[in-house]
Amino acid sequence: MSGEDNLLRLVEAEDGDENNYHLQDQVGFILRRAHQRHVSIFASHIGDLTPPQFAALAKLYDIGETSQNQLGTLIAMDAATVKGVIDRLKARGLVEVSKHEVDKRRLLVNLTPEGREAIERLIPLARTITEETLAPLTAKEAATFLRLLAKLA
């Protein structure tokens, strides 16, 4: 069943019987299926990093050195999750962690030369992943979808 058919059924359900509930018509279910598809495409192109690890590298590439907590905020991860991501990237030699000169409790994270090389190699693959994820949509639909999805985030 196509996305348009699902949306039509959702609209019809809203207009009809309130007790009529179909899991496949619910936003969370549809988002989870779309996410699973995207993660599968991601893994087929970038199998040696998780999407959160890639996000950390990409954001560090974009902004440069930042605190571990700030990085977590920027990539929508809680403190415990971002710590685990950073620990794994550090173990692979892709990031380095240092203490802030003034506030020794504050951890700073930066790309290593190897991390910079890795993300520069991976960015074209990430663009391909986005293109493949959005491939069922026209360019106009993709732009609308991303704009609307950003409103939910």
Side-chain angles (χ1 to χ4, degrees):
M1 182 171 293
S2 76
E4 287 181 22
D5 291 339
N6 281 338
L7 186 58
L8 182 60
R9 286 183 59 201
L10 180 60
V11 171
E12 288 171 351
E14 288 175 357
D15 293 338
D17 183 5
E18 290 179 7
N19 297 320
N20 199 6
Y21 182 92
H22 298 282
L23 177 65
Q24 68 273 15
D25 298 332
Q26 304 309 307
V27 65
F29 183 78
I30 296 166
L31 285 171
R32 184 172 62 80
R33 290 198 50 213
H35 181 257
Q36 288 172 330
R37 180 175 171 276
H38 173 73
V39 169
S40 175
I41 293 167
F42 182 96
S44 73
H45 290 280
I46 303 176
D48 60 338
L49 289 175
T50 65
Q53 290 169 343
F54 175 83
L57 293 177
K59 186 50 74 175
L60 287 170
Y61 183 74
D62 184 35
I63 66 167
E65 183 178 67
T66 191
S67 74
Q68 183 171 293
N69 285 340
Q70 178 66 19
L71 179 62
T73 299
L74 293 171
I75 59 174
M77 284 184 212
D78 61 65
T81 303
V82 79
K83 181 188 181 324
V85 167
I86 296 304
D87 287 348
R88 286 183 285 285
L89 291 172
K90 182 180 174 192
R92 294 182 60 182
L94 299 174
V95 300
E96 56 192 5
V97 178
S98 60
K99 293 191 187 250
H100 190 273
E101 289 183 16
V102 176
D103 183 353
K104 299 297 183 195
R105 297 169 299 165
R106 189 173 173 199
L107 293 177
L108 299 176
V109 184
N110 205 359
L111 293 173
T112 62
E114 295 82 6
R116 179 167 297 283
E117 180 183 305
I119 195 64
E120 287 174 351
R121 180 178 44 81
L122 294 171
I123 286 172
L125 295 174
R127 288 187 180 107
T128 299
I129 292 164
T130 296
E131 289 170 6
E132 285 186 31
T133 299
L134 297 174
L137 306 175
T138 66
K140 185 176 180 181
E141 287 172 334
T144 300
F145 172 73
L146 291 173
R147 182 177 46 77
L148 293 173
L149 198 56
K151 288 178 89 170
L152 295 178

